[in-house]
Amino acid sequence: MTPPKQQLEYENMLPVGEPERDTRVELGNARALRARDHAAIIYWTADELLDHVVPYLIEGLRVGDKVVYVAHDLSVERIAGALSARGVDVGAETKAGRLTIVAARDAFFGDGKFDVERAIAGVQALAEQSAKDGFSRVRFSVEMTYLLAHVPGIEHGPEFEARANEEVFARFPFVCICSFNGARDQSEMLTDVLETHPILIANGIPLQNPYYRPWDILRDDAGALARRARRRNDTRAATRTLKEAGG
């Protein structure tokens, strides 16, 4: 069972093995992930998030990765500003196609709903197009507070995160750091974050995540199914409330 956020004991988690040179993905802090890793950071303040992800993004630009950031808890402008403050010419990098900063609503539910098959296909298409454009790897980062959005289908967001391990990261030259604001934990969301990411990053150090469970187990897990149903009902109730308030 996944513990509540205040009981996460990172000191009892083992660090991931040192990556081989040809699979090493530097984080910008002397630590590294491996190509195809899917990691998560639980943060509590915006500054804490930026301290982790900005060096990771800058390092990606330095080595020639396709760098993509999906913002939700923070604004696109906040991320762009943090990069600019570290010397990145955001406009030039964006124009050259090396950097994309996009809001989660545009990346995942531009039509007002979340479709897990479309999300998987979209990320696969990103990897394929990036390869055609000459990039050897996609360096991705997603603010997972998008799971808190009240849009139809969002209960399948954790499914997207879980399936991506096999359907994206195992198949494409792709590395991803997801992030979740622990201060906004709602409806057991932290459990979904922990169960869908094989690696956790704490104090800049990649750790083996003992709470991770692959999709072939989560698919029919009673607890995961119950959380999905509760989130679907919560979203429907929130949608009704908004409609009633507007009408």
Side-chain angles (χ1 to χ4, degrees), residues 51-73:
D51 285 346
H52 281 97
V53 300
V54 169
Y56 164 75
L57 301 176
I58 291 175
E59 180 64 17
L61 293 171
R62 187 187 71 81
V63 301
D65 291 345
K66 170 70 175 184
V67 176
V68 179
Y69 193 92
V70 180
H72 183 269
D73 194 36

Side-chain angles (χ1 to χ4, degrees), residues 188-230:
E188 308 162 305
M189 200 70 67
L190 186 60
T191 298
D192 288 322
V193 175
L194 292 172
E195 289 189 344
T196 55
H197 293 79
I199 296 171
L200 295 177
I201 297 176
N203 299 316
I205 302 172
L207 303 170
Q208 299 175 36
N209 178 10
Y211 308 112
Y212 170 67
R213 305 174 75 194
W215 175 241
D216 61 355
I217 294 176
L218 282 179
R219 180 192 295 113
D220 299 316
D221 176 77
L225 290 169
R227 291 195 301 275
R228 206 175 306 158
R230 284 193 290 271

Side-chain angles (χ1 to χ4, degrees), residues 232-242:
R232 180 169 57 247
N233 292 336
D234 289 346
T235 299
R236 288 174 176 170
T239 301
R240 284 196 301 270
T241 299
L242 287 173

